[in-house]
Amino acid sequence: MKTMLISIIIPCYNEEDRIGNTLEEIEAYVKTRKEKFEIIIVDDGSKDRTIEVVEKFKNKLNLRILKNPENKGKGYSVKSGMLASLGDYSLFMDADSSTSIRELNNFFPFFNKYDILIGSRHLKKHSIL
């Protein structure tokens, strides 16, 4: 049986203060899972040290960096990452980890039932299927 590959797309714009913590959390999480993961950072023309921080994780994670030549916006960056992903399943998350990667555990039971899953922090204890 083939091991599932999950692509995690993270759009970034000037996230040097947050992306390191997010990648540390992802690194800890993937170590607990049997699935394979690829992390795709889409740098949206950052002017800070975002890429320097991300590159420190290249030896720890299956990580790729895509760079927009200029700021194109979050939607453009998410789309670019999704189109570049190789995973059986692809998700995107914010660079500040406003929703923990551990929430992915709630999605696994539904992967084979639905084509698209959307998680929201604004729906308290609701499930719309």
Side-chain angles (χ1 to χ4, degrees), residues 72-100:
K72 298 277 192 175
K74 184 177 181 178
Y76 181 93
S77 297
V78 170
K79 180 180 177 181
S80 296
M82 288 289 183
L83 291 173
S85 70
L86 302 173
D88 299 301
Y89 299 96
S90 299
L91 67 98
F92 81 90
M93 64 180 289
D94 293 329
D96 66 355
S97 194
S98 56
T99 300
S100 170

Side-chain angles (χ1 to χ4, degrees), residues 5 9-10 14 17 22 31 33-34 37 43 52-53 64 66 69 73 75-76 81-82 90 92-94 100 112 114 118:
L5 175 64
I9 292 88
I10 306 175
N14 293 339
D17 293 335
T22 298
K31 287 179 180 178
R33 302 295 310 180
K34 65 180 186 281
F37 289 82
D43 180 63
E52 287 178 47
V53 174
R64 287 192 284 152
L66 306 179
Y76 181 93
M82 288 289 183
S90 299
F92 81 90
M93 64 180 289
D94 293 329
S100 170
N112 292 325
Y114 302 100
I118 300 171

Side-chain angles (χ1 to χ4, degrees), residues 8 10 23 26 30 37-41 61-64:
I8 302 172
I10 306 175
L23 292 174
I26 291 171
V30 301
F37 289 82
E38 71 167 344
I39 315 307
I40 301 173
I41 301 295
L61 293 166
N62 179 16
L63 180 72
R64 287 192 284 152

Side-chain angles (χ1 to χ4, degrees), residues 3-6 29-37 104-105 108 111:
T3 302
M4 180 189 313
L5 175 64
I6 299 173
Y29 178 76
V30 301
K31 287 179 180 178
T32 69
R33 302 295 310 180
K34 65 180 186 281
E35 299 82 13
K36 292 183 180 180
F37 289 82
L104 182 57
N105 291 340
F108 284 114
F111 276 178

Side-chain angles (χ1 to χ4, degrees), residues 41-62:
I41 301 295
V42 184
D43 180 63
D44 195 22
S46 294
K47 307 286 188 226
D48 66 358
R49 296 176 48 251
T50 296
I51 294 302
E52 287 178 47
V53 174
V54 169
E55 286 180 342
K56 293 177 182 176
F57 288 86
K58 278 194 151 186
N59 294 328
K60 300 176 184 180
L61 293 166
N62 179 16

